[in-house]
Amino acid sequence: MSYLGIDVGTSATKAVVIDSDGRVLARSRVSHPSARGCGPGRADPAAWRASVIEAVTALGAPAAAVTGVGLDTHCPTALLLDETGQPLATGVTWDHQGLTAPTADLIRLLGHDEQRLVGNHLMPATAMGAAYRLLQSIEPEAAAVASTFGLAGTWLGQWLTGQRGIDPTQASYTALMASTDGSCRWLTRALARFGIPEHQLPPILPSLSVLGTLTPAAADILALPQGIPVLVGSGDTPAASYALGAQPGGRPLFIMGTTHVVSNALAEPDPRARALQRADVRTGQWLINGVINGGDALADGARQLGYGRGDAAVADLVGAAFTAQPEPSAPVFIPHTRPERGPLWFATARTAVLGLDTDTPAPVAARGIVEGVLFADRMIIESCVGADQRTLYVSGAFGDEPAMPQLLADVLDRDILVVDESHLPAIGAAAMCCEVLDGHIVSPPPTRRVSPRTEWRDVVAQRWLRYRDVWTTVTGAVPLGTLDEALTRNPC
């Protein structure tokens, strides 16, 4: 038996084929830069569709023999779909400026008990139900004939199967689903107050369930077997956590991509609702996700120091930082060059570079930029991870380069287990097929341990204390503490 995993991310689609033992038989990646080329706060599903087709067909013969399909998508992007699942307009992403007013309206209409059931800090990224009103305003013709208001996963599943659905990990980001009681149901009264007809929302279905079978049309265009089961799937971060066997009290996952995301599984919802919170793939579990724009900040820093643009520029920046000795006097970079989601919740950019001048050696300047991003990573990690969870999984496009994993271990002052699998969410999507269709749970991908260098511990500790002071001055916020400490200070 073999299974296909499709991961539609923010910047690219990744696809894998694995066998029932979890061995990767084929993998592919196709970027879709034009998806965000339709204007600020908009996303074009036509670009996603083209990249899915190219990524799946690029897998070749292994894909032609798969017996099931697993799905995951980035979120949140809201869409209006017709009765066949075709998008009627470009989607609205969480950072669309027009979401401010309808989000405030939705929050105001939610009662205290409903907000407790949603279990999230409410803002555009976690209240994407507000996009319904925005789409009615900016896409009136599409809104008038739409059959479905859903997210990216709704579109992908209906394209492949003809069936509507949304899983709890994505529905958690609408502010319209009861999560903290484990019921994973739409808040019917809130829908009525906000003016969303419930029949326009897709049914909420378990991630680990079959949505439908692959239609002949989809099978033909993707060169896949007709009639094979397609799972409901999940969001991309939950899929990656699933691939690593996420469980409460287990090892959290830190993902370093365009955004840097820590994902930690909980047996009970976090009553603080400080981090992004969602129902997990597994019923009765929740995930908290701390997020910063880490990859974007590294790219901004690389441009600022003259390394250029793109992945190669960031790699050169990191390589230079790796050659520098840690110095207490190195520049300090506060990396929030864009608005941030939880747990920081910055509505505007808050950034600065202190101590950088024309006499600063290039490697020292590079280290200050990279270290600033990694210290911000440390802050969100410690806010979402218990004090006893000392070792993290770390996933990112590191390749054979040792620099970033070692710098991260040094800054975090903890061991990390690097997952070199570049397609981790897609692996998780395919692995869900193994569990649902084959009754078999796939073992996590192999890892390699990276430990902090003891000879650098003292100076890194000095830099961390200085960074926290500068961070507070620049952002005007109080540095975040560990999950356990925060719960002690702010009991529910």
Side-chain angles (χ1 to χ4, degrees):
M1 303 284 244
S2 61
Y3 304 102
L4 168 65
I6 301 174
D7 164 35
V8 180
T10 303
S11 57
T13 292
K14 295 180 179 180
V16 298
V17 175
I18 66 171
D19 65 17
S20 56
D21 291 325
R23 291 177 298 181
V24 177
L25 306 179
R27 57 166 61 85
S28 65
R29 180 188 186 278
V30 176
S31 62
H32 43 237
S34 62
R36 296 302 297 268
C38 49
R42 305 302 296 267
D44 185 2
W48 303 340
R49 189 178 191 274
S51 68
V52 169
I53 293 170
E54 187 176 348
V56 173
T57 55
L59 295 171
V66 297
T67 54
V69 181
L71 310 175
D72 75 83
T73 64
H74 70 284
C75 64
T77 299
L79 296 162
L80 294 172
L81 309 175
D82 68 15
E83 61 183 8
T84 68
Q86 292 296 312
L88 294 165
T90 56
V92 166
T93 59
W94 72 273
D95 52 353
H96 193 291
Q97 291 186 347
L99 278 173
T100 302
T103 299
D105 290 342
L106 176 56
I107 294 171
R108 186 169 56 252
L109 289 171
L110 289 173
H112 174 76
D113 288 344
E114 288 168 330
Q115 291 196 26
R116 180 181 55 79
L117 287 169
V118 169
N120 241 329
H121 177 104
L122 295 179
M123 49 88 73
T126 58
M128 284 301 292
Y132 182 85
R133 282 194 180 177
L134 177 60
L135 284 165
Q136 285 185 314
S137 172
I138 64 178
E139 300 287 356
E141 294 182 3
V145 298
S147 296
T148 301
F149 169 66
L151 300 185
T154 308
W155 159 79
L156 181 59
Q158 191 166 2
W159 170 35
L160 298 182
T161 68
Q163 304 298 314
R164 300 194 315 159
I166 188 170
D167 85 283
T169 74
Q170 295 187 74
S172 293
Y173 279 9
T174 63
L176 296 170
M177 186 193 81
S179 170
T180 59
D181 65 351
S183 65
C184 296
R185 56 184 169 82
W186 294 121
L187 294 168
T188 303
R189 294 180 180 176
L191 295 177
R193 288 196 297 273
F194 197 64
I196 301 179
E198 188 168 2
H199 67 81
Q200 286 196 329
L201 290 174
I204 301 172
L205 304 171
S207 296
L208 295 172
S209 67
V210 174
L211 175 62
T213 56
L214 193 66
T215 67
D220 182 61
I221 197 169
L222 296 172
L224 296 174
Q226 293 186 20
I228 57 175
V230 178
L231 267 59
V232 174
S234 71
D236 49 5
T237 299
S241 293
Y242 173 86
L244 294 170
Q247 58 183 338
R251 190 170 286 126
L253 167 64
F254 184 55
I255 302 172
M256 304 183 76
T258 305
T259 54
H260 290 182
V261 184
V262 59
S263 181
N264 195 17
L266 304 176
E268 297 179 353
D270 180 357
R272 301 172 303 158
R274 272 293 293 272
L276 294 161
Q277 184 160 220
R278 52 168 44 142
D280 194 7
V281 167
R282 295 198 181 281
T283 302
Q285 286 187 190
W286 287 263
L287 289 178
I288 53 172
N289 298 146
V291 182
I292 67 164
N293 295 296
D296 287 332
L298 287 170
D300 290 338
R303 287 195 297 271
Q304 185 169 341
L305 294 187
Y307 288 90
R309 298 175 180 271
D311 293 343
V314 172
D316 289 344
L317 173 76
V318 173
F322 190 57
T323 67
Q325 292 295 316
E327 297 182 9
S329 60
V332 175
F333 177 46
I334 306 303
H336 310 298
T337 59
R338 290 163 177 75
E340 295 287 13
R341 287 173 279 175
L344 300 178
W345 306 113
F346 293 158
T348 59
R350 304 186 191 184
T351 186
V353 182
L354 279 71
L356 178 64
D357 55 42
T358 56
D359 295 329
T360 304
V364 175
R367 183 174 178 88
I369 295 295
V370 173
E371 183 188 65
V373 175
L374 299 183
F375 275 144
D377 289 336
R378 176 171 173 172
M379 198 174 294
I380 66 161
I381 288 169
E382 291 186 353
S383 73
C384 296
V385 170
D388 58 338
Q389 294 176 293
R390 287 293 303 163
T391 306
L392 302 177
Y393 285 120
V394 177
S395 173
F398 305 126
D400 296 328
E401 177 56 58
M404 182 60 89
Q406 184 62 67
L407 290 170
L408 178 65
D410 292 339
V411 165
L412 297 182
D413 192 27
R414 65 173 78 206
D415 283 4
I416 62 175
L417 297 180
V418 177
V419 184
D420 286 317
E421 174 53 62
S422 59
H423 289 44
L424 193 59
I427 294 284
M432 291 183 208
C433 290
C434 290
E435 180 171 352
V436 175
L437 304 176
D438 197 24
H440 174 63
I441 297 177
V442 173
S443 298
T447 62
R448 54 188 171 93
R449 184 177 291 269
V450 179
S451 300
R453 290 172 287 188
T454 56
E455 65 270 24
W456 285 16
R457 181 163 285 146
D458 288 344
V459 70
V460 168
Q462 294 175 36
R463 293 283 294 169
W464 171 233
L465 293 176
R466 183 183 179 210
Y467 179 87
R468 286 165 62 90
D469 289 341
V470 174
W471 188 90
T472 298
T473 300
V474 171
T475 67
V478 177
L480 304 178
T482 68
L483 172 65
D484 292 343
E485 290 172 351
L487 285 173
T488 301
R489 292 195 302 267
N490 301 296
C492 181

Short mmCIF file of all heavy atoms in Angstrom, two decimals, residues 328-364:
data_model
loop_
_atom_site.label_atom_id
_atom_site.label_comp_id
_atom_site.label_asym_id
_atom_site.label_seq_id
_atom_site.Cartn_x
_atom_site.Cartn_y
_atom_site.Cartn_z
N PRO A 328 29.48 40.26 23.50
CA PRO A 328 28.46 41.02 24.23
C PRO A 328 28.09 42.32 23.55
O PRO A 328 26.97 42.82 23.69
CB PRO A 328 29.12 41.27 25.59
CG PRO A 328 30.12 40.15 25.74
CD PRO A 328 30.63 39.90 24.35
N SER A 329 29.02 42.90 22.77
CA SER A 329 28.78 44.20 22.15
C SER A 329 28.18 44.11 20.75
O SER A 329 28.02 45.12 20.07
CB SER A 329 30.09 44.99 22.07
OG SER A 329 31.04 44.28 21.30
N ALA A 330 27.87 42.92 20.29
CA ALA A 330 27.31 42.76 18.94
C ALA A 330 25.98 43.51 18.82
O ALA A 330 25.28 43.73 19.82
CB ALA A 330 27.11 41.28 18.63
N PRO A 331 25.59 43.92 17.61
CA PRO A 331 24.32 44.62 17.43
C PRO A 331 23.14 43.77 17.92
O PRO A 331 23.21 42.53 17.96
CB PRO A 331 24.24 44.83 15.92
CG PRO A 331 25.65 44.77 15.45
CD PRO A 331 26.34 43.79 16.35
N VAL A 332 22.09 44.46 18.29
CA VAL A 332 20.85 43.80 18.72
C VAL A 332 19.77 44.12 17.70
O VAL A 332 19.52 45.30 17.40
CB VAL A 332 20.42 44.28 20.12
CG1 VAL A 332 19.06 43.68 20.49
CG2 VAL A 332 21.47 43.90 21.15
N PHE A 333 19.14 43.09 17.18
CA PHE A 333 18.09 43.22 16.16
C PHE A 333 16.76 42.80 16.76
O PHE A 333 16.60 41.67 17.22
CB PHE A 333 18.44 42.34 14.96
CG PHE A 333 17.41 42.31 13.86
CD1 PHE A 333 16.83 43.48 13.38
CD2 PHE A 333 17.03 41.10 13.28
CE1 PHE A 333 15.90 43.46 12.35
CE2 PHE A 333 16.10 41.06 12.24
CZ PHE A 333 15.53 42.24 11.78
N ILE A 334 15.80 43.71 16.78
CA ILE A 334 14.43 43.38 17.16
C ILE A 334 13.68 43.13 15.86
O ILE A 334 13.51 44.06 15.06
CB ILE A 334 13.79 44.51 17.98
CG1 ILE A 334 14.68 44.86 19.18
CG2 ILE A 334 12.39 44.11 18.44
CD1 ILE A 334 14.97 43.69 20.11
N PRO A 335 13.23 41.89 15.60
CA PRO A 335 12.93 41.48 14.23
C PRO A 335 11.47 41.58 13.79
O PRO A 335 11.11 41.01 12.75
CB PRO A 335 13.35 40.00 14.26
CG PRO A 335 12.97 39.55 15.63
CD PRO A 335 13.22 40.75 16.53
N HIS A 336 10.64 42.28 14.51
CA HIS A 336 9.20 42.25 14.17
C HIS A 336 8.91 43.27 13.07
O HIS A 336 8.35 44.34 13.31
CB HIS A 336 8.38 42.48 15.42
CG HIS A 336 8.77 41.58 16.55
ND1 HIS A 336 8.67 40.21 16.45
CD2 HIS A 336 9.33 41.84 17.76
CE1 HIS A 336 9.13 39.67 17.57
NE2 HIS A 336 9.54 40.63 18.37
N THR A 337 9.35 42.93 11.86
CA THR A 337 9.24 43.83 10.72
C THR A 337 7.85 43.84 10.11
O THR A 337 7.59 44.58 9.16
CB THR A 337 10.26 43.44 9.64
OG1 THR A 337 10.02 42.08 9.22
CG2 THR A 337 11.67 43.56 10.17
N ARG A 338 6.96 43.02 10.65
CA ARG A 338 5.57 42.93 10.20
C ARG A 338 4.68 42.77 11.43
O ARG A 338 5.17 42.42 12.50
CB ARG A 338 5.37 41.75 9.25
CG ARG A 338 6.04 41.93 7.89
CD ARG A 338 6.17 40.59 7.18
NE ARG A 338 6.74 40.73 5.85
CZ ARG A 338 8.01 40.97 5.59
NH1 ARG A 338 8.88 41.08 6.60
NH2 ARG A 338 8.45 41.08 4.36
N PRO A 339 3.37 42.94 11.28
CA PRO A 339 2.48 42.60 12.39
C PRO A 339 2.66 41.14 12.78
O PRO A 339 2.99 40.30 11.93
CB PRO A 339 1.08 42.85 11.81
CG PRO A 339 1.30 43.83 10.71
CD PRO A 339 2.63 43.50 10.12
N GLU A 340 2.46 40.83 14.05
CA GLU A 340 2.67 39.46 14.54
C GLU A 340 1.37 38.87 15.06
O GLU A 340 0.51 39.57 15.59
CB GLU A 340 3.70 39.45 15.68
CG GLU A 340 5.10 39.86 15.27
CD GLU A 340 5.85 38.82 14.45
OE1 GLU A 340 5.22 37.85 13.98
OE2 GLU A 340 7.07 38.97 14.27
N ARG A 341 1.26 37.57 14.92
CA ARG A 341 0.15 36.83 15.53
C ARG A 341 0.57 36.38 16.94
O ARG A 341 1.54 36.84 17.49
CB ARG A 341 -0.24 35.67 14.63
CG ARG A 341 -0.99 36.12 13.38
CD ARG A 341 -1.23 34.98 12.41
NE ARG A 341 -0.04 34.73 11.60
CZ ARG A 341 0.06 33.73 10.74
NH1 ARG A 341 -0.93 32.88 10.58
NH2 ARG A 341 1.17 33.56 10.04
N GLY A 342 -0.20 35.43 17.51
CA GLY A 342 0.05 35.03 18.88
C GLY A 342 1.40 34.36 19.06
O GLY A 342 1.89 33.70 18.16
N PRO A 343 1.99 34.53 20.23
CA PRO A 343 1.46 35.17 21.43
C PRO A 343 1.81 36.65 21.58
O PRO A 343 1.52 37.23 22.62
CB PRO A 343 2.13 34.37 22.55
CG PRO A 343 3.48 34.03 21.98
CD PRO A 343 3.25 33.79 20.51
N LEU A 344 2.41 37.26 20.55
CA LEU A 344 2.81 38.66 20.68
C LEU A 344 1.67 39.62 20.35
O LEU A 344 1.52 40.66 20.96
CB LEU A 344 4.02 38.95 19.79
CG LEU A 344 5.27 38.12 20.10
CD1 LEU A 344 6.39 38.45 19.13
CD2 LEU A 344 5.73 38.35 21.53
N TRP A 345 0.91 39.29 19.28
CA TRP A 345 -0.27 40.07 18.90
C TRP A 345 0.07 41.53 18.60
O TRP A 345 -0.67 42.43 18.96
CB TRP A 345 -1.36 39.99 19.97
CG TRP A 345 -1.75 38.60 20.33
CD1 TRP A 345 -1.56 37.97 21.52
CD2 TRP A 345 -2.38 37.63 19.47
NE1 TRP A 345 -2.03 36.69 21.49
CE2 TRP A 345 -2.53 36.45 20.24
CE3 TRP A 345 -2.82 37.64 18.16
CZ2 TRP A 345 -3.13 35.28 19.72
CZ3 TRP A 345 -3.42 36.49 17.65
CH2 TRP A 345 -3.56 35.34 18.42
N PHE A 346 1.20 41.77 17.93
CA PHE A 346 1.53 43.13 17.52
C PHE A 346 0.72 43.49 16.27
O PHE A 346 0.81 42.81 15.25
CB PHE A 346 3.02 43.26 17.21
CG PHE A 346 3.93 43.10 18.39
CD1 PHE A 346 5.25 42.74 18.22
CD2 PHE A 346 3.46 43.30 19.68
CE1 PHE A 346 6.10 42.59 19.31
CE2 PHE A 346 4.30 43.15 20.78
CZ PHE A 346 5.63 42.80 20.59
N ALA A 347 -0.02 44.57 16.34
CA ALA A 347 -0.84 44.99 15.19
C ALA A 347 -0.01 45.74 14.16
O ALA A 347 -0.41 45.87 13.00
CB ALA A 347 -1.99 45.87 15.66
N THR A 348 1.16 46.23 14.55
CA THR A 348 2.04 46.96 13.65
C THR A 348 3.46 46.43 13.80
O THR A 348 3.79 45.75 14.77
CB THR A 348 2.03 48.47 13.96
OG1 THR A 348 2.45 48.67 15.31
CG2 THR A 348 0.63 49.06 13.77
N ALA A 349 4.31 46.77 12.84
CA ALA A 349 5.71 46.38 12.92
C ALA A 349 6.38 47.09 14.10
O ALA A 349 6.08 48.24 14.40
CB ALA A 349 6.41 46.74 11.62
N ARG A 350 7.28 46.36 14.77
CA ARG A 350 8.06 46.94 15.87
C ARG A 350 9.47 46.41 15.75
O ARG A 350 9.75 45.28 16.17
CB ARG A 350 7.45 46.57 17.23
CG ARG A 350 5.98 46.97 17.35
CD ARG A 350 5.44 46.74 18.74
NE ARG A 350 3.99 46.89 18.78
CZ ARG A 350 3.25 46.81 19.89
NH1 ARG A 350 3.85 46.60 21.06
NH2 ARG A 350 1.95 46.95 19.83
N THR A 351 10.33 47.20 15.15
CA THR A 351 11.66 46.68 14.82
C THR A 351 12.71 47.76 15.00
O THR A 351 12.42 48.96 14.96
CB THR A 351 11.69 46.16 13.37
OG1 THR A 351 12.94 45.54 13.11
CG2 THR A 351 11.46 47.28 12.37
N ALA A 352 13.94 47.34 15.21
CA ALA A 352 15.07 48.25 15.34
C ALA A 352 16.35 47.44 15.28
O ALA A 352 16.36 46.24 15.56
CB ALA A 352 15.00 49.02 16.66
N VAL A 353 17.44 48.10 14.90
CA VAL A 353 18.78 47.54 14.99
C VAL A 353 19.60 48.52 15.81
O VAL A 353 19.78 49.67 15.43
CB VAL A 353 19.43 47.33 13.61
CG1 VAL A 353 20.81 46.69 13.77
CG2 VAL A 353 18.55 46.47 12.72
N LEU A 354 20.11 48.05 16.95
CA LEU A 354 20.91 48.90 17.84
C LEU A 354 22.36 48.44 17.82
O LEU A 354 22.63 47.24 17.84
CB LEU A 354 20.38 48.86 19.26
CG LEU A 354 19.16 49.74 19.59
CD1 LEU A 354 17.91 49.20 18.92
CD2 LEU A 354 18.95 49.82 21.10
N GLY A 355 23.29 49.39 17.78
CA GLY A 355 24.71 49.07 17.87
C GLY A 355 25.36 48.72 16.56
O GLY A 355 26.49 48.23 16.54
N LEU A 356 24.68 48.95 15.44
CA LEU A 356 25.25 48.65 14.13
C LEU A 356 25.80 49.94 13.52
O LEU A 356 25.08 50.93 13.38
CB LEU A 356 24.18 48.07 13.21
CG LEU A 356 24.61 47.74 11.77
CD1 LEU A 356 25.67 46.65 11.77
CD2 LEU A 356 23.40 47.32 10.94
N ASP A 357 27.09 49.95 13.17
CA ASP A 357 27.68 51.12 12.52
C ASP A 357 28.66 50.67 11.45
O ASP A 357 28.84 49.46 11.21
CB ASP A 357 28.34 52.05 13.54
CG ASP A 357 29.39 51.34 14.40
OD1 ASP A 357 30.17 50.53 13.85
OD2 ASP A 357 29.44 51.59 15.61
N THR A 358 29.30 51.60 10.82
CA THR A 358 30.19 51.27 9.70
C THR A 358 31.42 50.49 10.13
O THR A 358 32.07 49.85 9.30
CB THR A 358 30.63 52.56 8.98
OG1 THR A 358 31.24 53.45 9.94
CG2 THR A 358 29.44 53.27 8.34
N ASP A 359 31.75 50.53 11.43
CA ASP A 359 32.92 49.80 11.91
C ASP A 359 32.60 48.37 12.35
O ASP A 359 33.51 47.61 12.70
CB ASP A 359 33.54 50.55 13.09
CG ASP A 359 34.10 51.91 12.69
OD1 ASP A 359 34.55 52.04 11.54
OD2 ASP A 359 34.05 52.84 13.52
N THR A 360 31.34 48.01 12.34
CA THR A 360 30.95 46.66 12.78
C THR A 360 31.42 45.64 11.76
O THR A 360 31.05 45.73 10.58
CB THR A 360 29.43 46.55 12.96
OG1 THR A 360 28.98 47.56 13.87
CG2 THR A 360 29.05 45.17 13.48
N PRO A 361 32.22 44.65 12.15
CA PRO A 361 32.63 43.62 11.19
C PRO A 361 31.42 42.90 10.61
O PRO A 361 30.42 42.68 11.31
CB PRO A 361 33.49 42.67 12.04
CG PRO A 361 33.95 43.51 13.19
CD PRO A 361 32.83 44.45 13.48
N ALA A 362 31.49 42.53 9.34
CA ALA A 362 30.34 41.93 8.65
C ALA A 362 29.82 40.68 9.36
O ALA A 362 28.61 40.52 9.54
CB ALA A 362 30.71 41.62 7.20
N PRO A 363 30.71 39.76 9.81
CA PRO A 363 30.18 38.58 10.51
C PRO A 363 29.46 38.93 11.82
O PRO A 363 28.47 38.29 12.17
CB PRO A 363 31.43 37.72 10.76
CG PRO A 363 32.41 38.17 9.74
CD PRO A 363 32.16 39.63 9.58
N VAL A 364 29.96 39.93 12.53
CA VAL A 364 29.34 40.33 13.79
C VAL A 364 27.97 40.95 13.52
O VAL A 364 27.00 40.70 14.25
CB VAL A 364 30.24 41.31 14.56
CG1 VAL A 364 29.54 41.83 15.81
CG2 VAL A 364 31.55 40.62 14.94
#
